[in-house]
Amino acid sequence: MTARWLLLLSALLAVACSEQTATEDYAGPRYTLDAERISVSGISAGAYMAGQMHVAMSATVRGAGLIAGGPYGCAQNSLSIALEQCTKEGNPDVDKLQAALKQSAEADLIDDLAHLDGSPVWLFRSPTDDLVGQTLLDATAEQYRALGARVTLVDDFEAAHGVPTIGTGAACASFESPYLNACNFDAAGAILGTIYGSLEPRGEVTGELLTVSVPGADAADLLPDAFLYVPAECAAGESCGLHVFFHGCSQSSELVGDAVARGAGFNEWAESNRLLVLYPQARRSKVAPINPLGCFDWWGYTDDRYRTREGKQIQVIAALLAALAGPSP
């Protein structure tokens, strides 16, 4: 075991500390993970979730890509604030959010903010997106830049509210399930290139898209299985990075099957760059918590620490990463 591999495992285990997220409950495959190549991205509600995991676990998560998302902590544990200030033309108070962010760091609920200095972040919003306004994109960029992150901002490419792909999904301007849009625009490649720098050219998908069990999923309002794309080299024991992609509302496997996991464009880059790609799945609910579209928790439906290392969904996903990186049982 290398020193950085042990560092990764210990960092993830420090987050995944509850009984509900115990890695000993995981019975799936294990891999050799590169501690310097852990990253996240997401679309819409999933972009908020990716930002939460990036900020809360910035000592472990190298960088992030946010498609049509907003600033960390925007909802302030309130669905009404989420709807009023964090969607469409909402205009959150960035100074207030920054103050709360620093308080969370001082209380050791999130990693030291110094880890975000120089962290690569790719932000995207279409000028024709009527679900997430420009003010939210600008607020996200302002927040990250104030923390020293290296922000790449793309706000001049017209597309529907979805994941822009090279050729998979509906027409570029069409807002329809599974919210992948064939725009001749490679968002996945742009995200990974921003985070990791020079990449090998995207390859043909020859690895496996597995389903892996997610210990503790039920208590965190996640589905019991996540998708995991595994290139052959990673399956054979080569050291591999890991990218986590968080779907948006109405994109979970309950509604679109494996369409997002197969079609978002990350697997082709993973194939040629030794990356595992994990696709966790949020659970739909028509009763408490009311989450009929299967959104990840970006407003506090699981608990009031949802955006910190103690958040239930963050803990469960961190535990799964630790299990994937752990020694074979």
Side-chain angles (χ1 to χ4, degrees):
M1 296 182 188
T2 65
R4 68 183 183 183
W5 187 90
L6 289 171
L7 177 63
L8 166 67
L9 187 58
S10 62
L12 292 172
L13 286 170
V15 178
C17 58
S18 71
E19 286 186 15
Q20 295 170 341
T21 59
T23 57
E24 58 265 24
D25 292 336
Y26 176 77
R30 317 281 178 134
Y31 304 94
T32 303
L33 295 192
D34 183 344
E36 296 180 0
R37 295 206 302 147
I38 307 295
S39 56
V40 296
S41 65
I43 163 72
S44 195
Y48 275 108
M49 184 67 192
Q52 288 168 183
M53 192 158 184
H54 181 213
V55 170
M57 296 183 59
S58 59
T60 301
V61 178
R62 170 173 174 164
L66 311 185
I67 302 172
Y72 177 91
C74 186
Q76 303 171 60
N77 197 32
S78 167
L79 179 57
S80 63
I81 292 176
L83 295 175
E84 292 169 6
Q85 297 184 19
C86 308
T87 63
K88 299 186 178 179
E89 292 301 327
N91 189 18
D93 184 337
V94 178
D95 290 339
K96 181 178 179 180
L97 297 181
Q98 290 298 79
L101 183 63
K102 291 177 181 178
Q103 288 176 356
S104 293
E106 290 168 358
D108 197 29
L109 294 172
I110 62 176
D111 286 352
D112 192 320
L113 296 177
H115 294 296
L116 291 166
D117 190 11
S119 186
V121 177
W122 189 84
L123 304 178
F124 176 92
R125 178 208 172 246
S126 164
T128 58
D129 190 335
D130 59 2
L131 296 180
V132 172
Q134 186 68 29
T135 52
L136 287 167
L137 182 73
D138 292 342
T140 309
E142 179 184 348
Q143 183 182 65
Y144 265 121
R145 285 171 175 153
L147 296 168
R150 292 189 289 108
V151 175
T152 298
L153 188 68
V154 180
D155 60 359
D156 58 357
F157 185 89
E158 294 189 1
H161 184 83
V163 181
T165 72
I166 293 177
T168 302
C172 191
S174 180
F175 179 63
E176 61 181 274
S177 181
Y179 309 104
L180 303 175
N181 294 92
C183 294
N184 196 28
F185 185 97
D186 189 2
I191 288 168
L192 296 176
T194 297
I195 294 171
Y196 295 116
S198 179
L199 297 173
E200 294 297 320
R202 65 196 298 269
E204 295 293 326
V205 172
T206 60
E208 290 188 275
L209 184 67
L210 307 177
T211 56
V212 294
S213 62
V214 184
D218 186 63
D221 290 288
L222 299 174
L223 291 179
D225 294 314
F227 295 113
L228 179 71
Y229 182 73
V230 184
E233 288 179 297
C234 304
E238 294 288 330
S239 177
C240 290
L242 188 147
H243 185 76
V244 184
F245 180 76
F246 295 99
H247 64 72
C249 301
S250 299
Q251 276 190 320
S252 79
S253 58
E254 289 183 291
L255 294 167
V256 303
D258 62 6
V260 172
R262 290 192 182 278
F266 291 95
N267 302 343
E268 290 82 353
W269 290 100
E271 185 69 42
S272 53
N273 289 278
R274 293 210 313 270
L275 280 171
L276 298 159
V277 188
L278 178 67
Y279 300 91
Q281 303 294 308
R283 185 177 66 192
R284 298 172 68 202
S285 175
K286 295 182 180 179
V287 294
I290 298 175
N291 184 24
L293 302 182
C295 310
F296 282 100
D297 187 7
W298 65 278
W299 67 85
Y301 68 75
T302 54
D303 57 38
D304 61 1
R305 293 190 172 183
Y306 64 97
R307 62 186 183 268
T308 74
R309 288 194 309 261
E310 297 181 7
K312 291 180 180 180
Q313 292 184 353
I314 288 177
Q315 282 198 333
V316 165
I317 294 164
L320 181 56
L321 298 189
L324 290 170
S328 298

